[in-house]
């Protein structure tokens, strides 16, 4: 998911518990494994009601399984039955769940299919948008669209609404004839019904986390293209075909760049991009069928806005690898989705436009993070984020910490390892965990295997630690010895998870009357001294000229001379 943030308006580190132990607390208990959802829906638009006739197919993860608990909020159930024999099942509901008592005990090798008939007026998950008119002319037709992330799908589908369970999905969506439905996977058929409606049948055969399930209903023009054998669909409002080239013109380039960098081919059978109205985010990477805010896409009509739209398009496509192919196991690991998608925006710019554009994007992301955090220095969270709360996701998950800081930290990791080693590690990470759920430890392990380096120090400070380093550097030059003495002091307040000491391998470029020289220093103490022999008095000092570590604050004192 892409959030459009606006910055223009605006003594050691010790873990109390290990990350893996903490992650166990953040995962949900699972007593079954969902195999497949069959979703049948139609709508009462006037009253914004949803009518469902849906099936969940699952296998127990334990013997003697006889009680099925599903997430279901605000759903009124008409019936709950075993699909095999239409036998009614006893069930009870609470505010957030439905509990179904099965007809007998089941074993892990048995497939259970439960069919639900129900109605809902979703507060979240499905959104109804009225048509927009101007002087009697329809500017935009009515729409229905879904938004599943973080945990909104259970407002209209009884389900296991958490990212660590991947299942295939199938949809039968019935709408007014003349409308289009865009959904995940392949459109198998459309059926014209006798009552002036049409049913669209989609099937997504590759298992995916539920929050990536989506559909869009509206009146659209479709512009078709291909990347290799992958069908590309661009769904825009009638009369808006000219926006496709401006907004989506680099899509095929992005496919090629991401495949080349990761060494992993696009893993699905199509890719659609659809604009919708009143979307609260910039875009959402629903699997094979990305949803995008029309307000963001229309920026492509403005010359300076095309770069922003290009970043949005590349961000959402990058999720096909980072977020959809490999998916965070729980919400504390969301940075593995969003940090990488943000970083891939810059990686695409580098391949298309060169290193300078790449660095400008990384610098912009760092600035956005600093601007955000300046207002909430004492309430920030780490990239690995046990504080993630899907009930308050815009404050605890979908912020510049997860996105921009995440992307910049990945840049620093790439610089630390070197590009070749970094991308080899990413290839191993994606291939080893394809179609699975991942934790930060999986990424670290892959990169360590490929590089032969111990990266524990890096992940402790940049991923599991909060904040960023703040340095005061004092410079003293001795004219007689021609030595430059640097005293570095890390001044960040080390509390609530902020490391007292960051390890910072920094290059220092020193300009003197004799020319320039670059020295490498390794800062790994709260306060330490460095002696650098020079040929003449220093005139200018530049730390980290190549911008390997953007997340730092350095205050350099004026040069003084030793007595």
């Amino acid at each position: 998911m892409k959030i459009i943030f606006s910055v223009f308006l605006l003594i050691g580190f010790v873990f109390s518990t290990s990350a893996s132990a903490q992650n166990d607390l953040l995962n949900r208990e699972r007593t079954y494994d969902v195999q497949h959802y069959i979703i049948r829906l139609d709508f009462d638009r006037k009253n914004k009601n949803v009518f469902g006739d849906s099936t969940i197919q699952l296998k127990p993860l334990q013997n003697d399984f006889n009680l099925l608990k599903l997430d279901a909020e605000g759903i009124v159930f008409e019936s709950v039955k075993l699909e095999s024999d239409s036998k009614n099942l006893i069930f009870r509901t609470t505010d957030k769940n439905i509990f179904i008592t099965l007809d007998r005990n089941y074993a892990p090798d048995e497939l259970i299919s439960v069919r639900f008939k129900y109605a809902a007026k979703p507060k979240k998950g499905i959104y109804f948008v009225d048509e927009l008119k101007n002087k009697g002319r329809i500017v935009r037709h009515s729409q229905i669209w879904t938004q599943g992330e973080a945990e909104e799908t259970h407002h209209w589908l009884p389900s296991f609404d958490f990212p660590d369970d991947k299942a295939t999905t199938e949809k039968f969506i019935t709408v007014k004839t003349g409308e289009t439905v865009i959904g995940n996977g392949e459109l198998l058929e459309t059926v014209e019904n006798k009552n002036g409606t049409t049913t669209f049948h989609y099937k997504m055969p590759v298992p995916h986390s539920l929050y990536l399930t989506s559909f869009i209903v509206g009146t659209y023009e479709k512009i078709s293209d291909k990347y290799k054998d992958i069908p590309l669909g661009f769904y825009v409002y009638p009369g808006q075909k000219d926006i496709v080239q401006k907004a989506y013109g680099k899509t095929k380039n992005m496919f090629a760049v991401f495949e080349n960098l990761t060494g992993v081919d696009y893993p699905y059978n199509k890719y659609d991009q659809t604009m919708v109205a009143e979307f609260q985010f910039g875009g959402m990477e629903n699997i094979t069928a990305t949803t995008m805010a029309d307000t963001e896409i229309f920026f492509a009509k403005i010359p300076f806005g095309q770069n922003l739209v290009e970043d949005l398009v590349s961000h959402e496509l990058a999720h096909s690898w980072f977020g959809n192919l490999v998916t965070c196991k729980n919400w504390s690991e969301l940075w593995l989705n969003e940090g990488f998608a943000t970083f891939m925006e810059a990686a695409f710019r580098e391949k298309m436009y060169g290193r300078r554009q790449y660095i400008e994007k990384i610098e912009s992301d760092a600035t956005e993070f600093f601007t955000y955090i300046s207002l909430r220095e004492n309430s920030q969270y780490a990239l690995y984020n046990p504080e993630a709360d899907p009930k308050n996701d815009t404050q605890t998950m979908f912020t510049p910490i997860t996105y921009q800081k995440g992307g910049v930290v990945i840049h620093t990791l790439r610089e630390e390892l070197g590009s070749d080693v970094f991308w080899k590690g990413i290839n191993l990470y994606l291939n080893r965990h394809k179609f699975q759920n991942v934790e930060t430890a999986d990424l670290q392990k892959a990169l360590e295997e490929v590089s032969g380096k111990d990266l524990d120090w890096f992940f402790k400070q940049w991923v599991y630690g909060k904040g960023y380093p703040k340095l005061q550097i004092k410079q003293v030059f001795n004219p007689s010895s021609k030595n430059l003495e640097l005293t570095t002091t890390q001044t960040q307040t080390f509390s609530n998870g902020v490391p007292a000491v960051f390890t910072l391998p920094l290059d220092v470029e020193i300009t003197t009357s004799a020319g320039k020289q670059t020295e490498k220093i390794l800062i790994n103490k709260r306060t330490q001294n460095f002696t650098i022999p020079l040929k003449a008095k220093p005139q200018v000092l530049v730390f980290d000229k190549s911008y390997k570590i953007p997340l730092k604050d350095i205050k350099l004192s004026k040069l003084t001379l030793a007595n």
Side-chain angles (χ1 to χ4, degrees):
M1 181 152 56
K2 175 79 170 178
I3 310 294
I4 305 300
F5 304 106
S6 178
V7 299
F8 305 105
L9 302 178
L10 287 146
I11 296 208
F13 185 39
V14 179
F15 294 102
S16 58
T17 60
S18 70
S20 59
Q22 178 69 59
N23 233 8
D24 289 340
L25 299 175
L26 297 167
N27 293 324
R28 280 183 59 177
E29 179 186 8
R30 287 177 55 203
T31 58
Y32 56 87
D33 180 17
V34 180
Q35 305 292 301
H36 188 57
Y37 291 96
I38 303 173
I39 302 164
R40 309 172 188 90
L41 297 179
D42 58 19
F43 311 95
D44 171 5
R45 299 182 191 219
K46 181 179 179 181
N47 296 301
K48 299 183 178 180
N49 288 327
V50 177
F51 302 102
D53 179 3
S54 301
T55 301
I56 181 171
Q57 298 176 349
L58 58 96
K59 288 187 175 182
L61 294 175
Q62 60 192 34
N63 289 315
D64 300 325
F65 181 80
N66 58 21
L67 181 65
L68 172 61
K69 176 185 176 183
L70 295 171
D71 302 312
E73 191 166 349
I75 298 177
V76 179
F77 291 92
E78 176 186 332
S79 66
V80 180
K81 298 183 178 185
L82 277 180
E83 195 162 49
S84 57
D85 59 9
S86 296
K87 182 181 295 184
N88 283 305
L89 297 174
I90 298 171
F91 67 91
R92 65 180 178 88
T93 60
T94 64
D95 289 345
K96 298 182 185 299
N97 298 103
I98 179 171
F99 297 82
I100 303 103
T101 301
L102 300 176
D103 61 323
R104 61 177 176 85
N105 292 345
Y106 287 83
D109 60 347
E110 295 184 273
L111 182 68
I112 307 168
S113 293
V114 181
R115 188 162 182 169
F116 303 85
K117 289 189 177 181
Y118 57 91
K121 189 170 186 176
K123 295 181 179 179
K124 294 182 178 181
I126 289 180
Y127 297 85
F128 294 82
V129 179
D130 295 331
E131 71 176 10
L132 179 64
K133 288 186 176 181
N134 183 18
K135 297 180 180 179
R137 180 179 66 87
I138 295 177
V139 177
R140 182 200 68 230
H141 292 80
S142 63
Q143 301 171 5
I144 307 171
W145 46 261
T146 62
Q147 169 58 30
E149 192 177 21
E151 296 176 7
E152 296 194 16
T153 304
H154 69 277
H155 289 267
W156 58 269
L157 177 70
S159 54
F160 187 86
D161 198 0
F162 197 75
D164 75 335
D165 188 23
K166 292 196 172 188
T168 55
T169 52
E170 193 168 357
K171 298 184 189 70
F172 298 82
I173 309 296
T174 299
V175 298
K176 295 183 292 187
T177 294
E179 290 185 311
T180 296
V181 177
I182 302 98
N184 314 109
E186 182 181 0
L187 177 60
L188 298 181
E189 63 175 346
T190 57
V191 176
E192 300 290 335
N193 305 311
K194 293 182 180 180
N195 61 351
T197 64
T198 302
T199 299
F200 287 72
H201 179 194
Y202 279 91
K203 188 170 185 177
M204 182 63 205
V206 181
H208 55 281
S209 296
L210 188 69
Y211 75 88
L212 298 169
T213 297
S214 73
F215 63 83
I216 295 169
V217 178
T219 302
Y220 288 96
E221 287 189 56
K222 179 184 180 182
I223 292 82
S224 297
D225 203 346
K226 274 192 173 185
Y227 170 75
K228 296 181 179 177
D229 293 326
I230 305 297
L232 307 179
F234 308 96
Y235 290 87
V236 298
Y237 302 156
Q240 296 287 350
K241 289 175 65 173
D242 64 317
I243 200 71
V244 171
Q245 182 58 34
K246 295 174 182 177
Y248 301 114
K250 298 285 197 313
T251 297
K252 289 193 284 188
N253 302 88
M254 294 169 188
F255 269 86
V257 167
F258 295 161
E259 287 187 343
N260 176 262
L261 288 175
T262 64
V264 177
D265 289 344
Y266 177 76
Y268 306 112
N269 61 354
K270 72 155 188 185
Y271 189 63
D272 292 332
Q273 298 176 86
T274 307
M275 60 166 60
V276 301
E278 300 180 16
F279 195 61
Q280 63 265 53
F281 305 112
M284 176 62 204
E285 65 275 12
N286 300 308
I287 195 162
T288 75
T290 286
T291 303
M292 292 176 171
D294 58 6
T295 50
E296 304 304 325
I297 297 304
F298 287 144
F299 266 117
K301 295 183 178 182
I302 307 169
F304 74 83
Q306 291 185 8
N307 287 340
L308 296 175
V309 178
E310 190 172 292
D311 287 341
L312 169 63
V313 173
S314 66
H315 181 104
E316 301 306 337
L317 178 59
H319 274 304
S320 297
W321 289 263
F322 302 98
N324 298 4
L325 178 64
V326 296
T327 312
C328 60
K329 188 173 183 179
N330 59 51
W331 298 120
S332 71
E333 303 282 12
L334 182 63
W335 84 279
L336 293 170
N337 294 14
E338 299 300 348
F340 266 100
T342 304
F343 169 75
M344 295 301 282
E345 297 174 40
F348 174 71
R349 284 199 193 184
E350 182 177 31
K351 284 291 186 181
M352 285 295 294
Y353 311 117
R355 181 73 176 181
R356 183 172 180 179
Q357 279 277 316
Y358 169 83
I359 292 297
E360 285 181 2
K361 179 63 169 67
I362 296 296
E363 186 175 21
S364 172
D365 287 342
T367 300
E368 200 152 353
F369 163 73
F370 283 132
T371 301
Y372 175 82
I373 211 66
S374 67
L375 303 175
R376 45 185 64 78
E377 192 78 27
N378 297 321
S379 61
Q380 57 184 309
Y381 57 82
L383 290 183
Y384 169 76
N385 178 23
E387 301 163 45
D389 179 6
K391 298 180 185 64
N392 187 24
D393 49 22
T394 57
Q395 298 298 315
T396 67
M397 294 163 56
F398 305 136
T399 79
I401 298 175
T402 306
Y403 288 71
Q404 279 73 23
K405 180 182 180 181
V408 173
V409 166
I410 293 167
H411 156 76
T412 299
L413 183 56
R414 175 195 178 189
E415 296 299 302
E416 174 65 25
L417 296 175
S419 287
D420 289 345
V421 171
F422 172 80
W423 289 114
K424 286 179 183 177
I426 295 304
N427 176 265
L428 176 61
Y429 166 70
L430 292 175
N431 278 311
R432 176 178 286 169
H433 302 287
K434 63 173 58 173
F435 308 119
Q436 299 175 10
N437 293 91
V438 289
E439 300 173 332
T440 296
D442 298 318
L443 174 66
Q444 182 177 340
K445 183 178 180 181
L447 294 172
E448 287 181 337
E449 284 185 28
V450 170
S451 68
K453 293 184 176 182
D454 181 352
L455 295 175
D456 203 46
W457 66 273
F458 185 97
F459 280 83
K460 278 186 176 180
Q461 69 185 30
W462 291 119
V463 178
Y464 298 111
K466 299 179 182 180
Y468 58 93
K470 299 180 180 180
L471 297 172
Q472 288 183 349
I473 301 179
K474 181 181 179 181
Q475 51 174 334
V476 179
F477 180 67
N478 189 318
S480 58
S481 66
K482 295 185 179 178
N483 284 335
L484 174 65
E485 301 288 341
L486 297 179
T487 301
T488 65
T489 303
Q490 299 194 35
T491 63
Q492 66 273 4
T493 301
F494 53 99
S495 62
N496 194 28
V498 178
V501 176
F502 282 81
T503 296
L504 304 170
L506 283 179
D507 293 344
V508 186
E509 183 187 80
I510 305 166
T511 302
T512 72
S513 58
K516 293 182 179 180
Q517 68 183 74
T518 299
E519 300 291 332
K520 296 181 182 296
I521 63 173
L522 178 63
I523 300 174
N524 56 10
K525 296 178 182 178
R526 187 77 175 174
T527 299
Q528 59 196 119
N529 299 309
F530 300 92
T531 300
I532 302 174
L534 299 177
K535 295 181 180 179
K537 177 183 175 182
Q539 299 170 343
V540 179
L541 269 64
V542 178
F543 290 84
D544 194 24
K545 184 177 182 180
S546 58
Y547 209 57
K548 292 181 178 180
I549 308 176
L551 298 181
K552 62 184 182 305
D553 179 12
I554 294 180
K555 290 182 170 56
L556 180 64
S557 70
K558 290 184 178 181
L559 180 69
T560 60
L561 300 179
N563 295 328

